[in-house]
Amino acid sequence: MNLDINIIIFLGAALALISIVSLLIERLFFPSILAFIGIGVIVGFFWDGNEVFRIAGEIGIVLLFFLLGLKFPINELAKRMRQVWKAGVLDIVLAFGVSMLIALAFGLDLPKAFLIGAVLYATSSSISARLLDRHPDKHENIKEFVLALLIFEDIFSPLLLTVAPFIIQDDPIAFSDIGKVFVGFLVFGVLLFVGIRFVTRHPRTVKHLLRQDDASIGLIGLILFFAGIGMVFGLSEILGAFIAGIMLAGIHDIRPLKRLTVPVRDLFLPIFFISFGISINLEQGVIINALFFVLIVWGVLSKWIVGRVGGRMYGLSRVQANEVGFSLAPRGEFSILFTALSNGAINLFVGLYIFVSAIIGIVLFRFSEILAEKTEQTLEKVLPEEKNKKQD
């Protein structure tokens, strides 16, 4: 009995402390994610975590991507993809492809180079979305393009995460594994088709189910079921959750869905980032070398190029496109997911990169308007044709 009381007191104190630290970080206009990772790093000196703690964190990230999918019905999703696919492809080539080549040029083998490319690819949706909410003065066109590009990344990243184990891990690739992944995509396609038809044709039934007292149990069970299907077929659990969100996004009023899932996400998601912080074992020694600095610079530059070139293709002005480029630098949850597929010194290396890039990305976002103007002025001086085009 005393042991149970001590555990309850410990959990209560821990949650209260996490909340206070998060609030202090938010007051400094930094997302609480940084606080959670920092707490994890400190906890890691005393505790290595366990399976229950890790699974709790996975529930949080699964619910996060369900809510991301919930924002976009299938028709809206297709529309957004048509608008940003060119910028999305450029993002893949630069942030993923070129990053891989840089790692290979520094002598890393293919699995580690692939890991670095994957880590540098995906902008943090949770950090960027939070920052956009806190800066309502940003032009609406900039917000639309950033969110559309994040959606493109959120669709491609789970596919990349599906391929990653075949390349990063040492296990040989079997034909049956590839076939299982293919079957998984077919299963999800069927479930998505059937689910969307049911939601659109029986809105009253869906609305009635969501009004039940135990609706949250059934909904979270459905989300975890889709996530589990992804894992069974060798796909990513977040892909399953994302598809579940898209399937239910056709409901006319999604507020009940958010009301049922957001509190659970807010409880479990910090555990995901704390667990990642625990995995950054600083006792192994901090690895800061030339490659680290090159990747920091290229991580910012590649996203700026995507924002600048992709934004112009989208129809933004030059200054707006620059501003987008400075808003895409933070890495976060997807990058963290890739680190779970590897171990050893490379994990510490990419873990530190994610943490540093998140801080740099947040700072760049906060000063993106000023940086966009300064960058355009510099380009006009260095490239006179830019000034002529602007005048035309």
Side-chain angles (χ1 to χ4, degrees), residues 47-69:
W47 185 53
D48 295 332
N50 56 34
E51 190 67 11
V52 174
F53 195 77
R54 185 187 64 80
I55 292 175
E58 286 191 3
I59 292 173
I61 200 70
V62 162
L63 293 176
L64 172 66
F65 280 91
F66 166 77
L67 289 166
L68 287 175

Side-chain angles (χ1 to χ4, degrees), residues 34-322:
L34 294 180
F36 299 144
I37 296 175
I39 290 171
V41 172
I42 296 172
V43 171
F45 284 104
F46 310 99
W47 185 53
D48 295 332
N50 56 34
E51 190 67 11
V52 174
F53 195 77
R54 185 187 64 80
I55 292 175
E58 286 191 3
I59 292 173
I61 200 70
V62 162
L63 293 176
L64 172 66
F65 280 91
F66 166 77
L67 289 166
L68 287 175
L70 194 62
K71 293 180 180 180
F72 300 98
I74 191 69
N75 293 333
E76 177 68 17
L77 188 64
K79 177 184 175 183
R80 294 293 182 101
M81 292 305 97
R82 287 194 297 269
Q83 292 174 334
V84 299
W85 73 268
K86 293 180 181 178
V89 171
L90 180 63
D91 194 11
I92 294 170
V93 172
L94 294 179
F96 173 67
V98 175
S99 299
M100 258 189 79
L101 294 176
I102 290 173
L104 290 171
F106 272 83
L108 272 65
D109 57 22
L110 180 61
K112 291 178 181 177
F114 183 93
L115 174 63
I116 285 177
V119 166
L120 265 70
Y121 168 64
T123 301
S124 171
S125 298
S126 56
I127 293 178
S128 298
R130 183 72 63 88
L131 291 171
L132 286 173
D133 288 340
R134 294 192 164 201
H135 291 77
D137 54 327
K138 275 195 179 293
H139 196 282
E140 197 62 31
N141 289 342
I142 294 175
K143 290 183 178 180
E144 288 182 1
F145 177 68
V146 170
L147 288 174
L149 187 59
L150 290 176
I151 295 165
F152 185 97
E153 291 186 355
D154 289 341
I155 292 174
F156 182 75
S157 292
L159 303 179
L160 201 60
L161 196 59
T162 300
V163 175
F166 297 113
I167 299 175
I168 295 176
Q169 296 177 352
D170 297 329
D171 298 333
I173 301 174
F175 181 77
S176 60
D177 294 332
I178 299 174
K180 187 168 67 171
V181 169
F182 180 73
V183 172
F185 280 117
L186 289 179
V187 170
F188 273 136
V190 172
L191 288 174
L192 184 60
F193 176 76
V194 173
I196 290 175
R197 285 178 66 87
F198 180 82
V199 166
T200 54
R201 292 190 175 190
H202 304 280
R204 290 185 179 179
T205 303
V206 175
K207 191 175 182 180
H208 174 73
L209 291 172
L210 292 175
R211 285 178 173 175
Q212 302 304 305
D213 293 337
D214 297 329
S216 60
I217 299 175
L219 178 58
I220 293 173
L222 177 68
I223 298 166
L224 295 179
F225 177 73
F226 268 69
I229 290 175
M231 298 175 70
V232 166
F233 287 100
L235 301 170
S236 167
E237 64 269 32
I238 58 175
L239 177 61
F242 191 73
I243 289 174
I246 295 171
M247 182 183 73
L248 296 179
I251 296 175
H252 178 67
D253 185 6
I254 62 172
R255 287 178 297 179
L257 295 171
K258 290 184 176 181
R259 175 175 55 81
L260 294 170
T261 53
V262 167
V264 184
R265 179 207 63 183
D266 290 345
L267 177 63
F268 286 100
L269 188 59
I271 298 175
F272 173 78
F273 293 106
I274 292 172
S275 181
F276 169 66
I278 291 173
S279 70
I280 303 176
N281 188 358
L282 297 180
E283 293 179 348
Q284 296 177 1
V286 180
I287 305 173
I288 303 294
N289 52 24
L291 176 60
F292 186 87
F293 289 107
V294 169
L295 292 177
I296 289 291
V297 173
W298 175 244
V300 173
L301 182 60
S302 62
K303 292 298 184 179
W304 177 81
I305 295 173
V306 170
R308 169 74 182 195
V309 178
R312 295 293 292 150
M313 290 189 289
Y314 184 78
L316 300 179
S317 68
R318 289 180 175 82
V319 175
Q320 288 176 339
N322 288 337

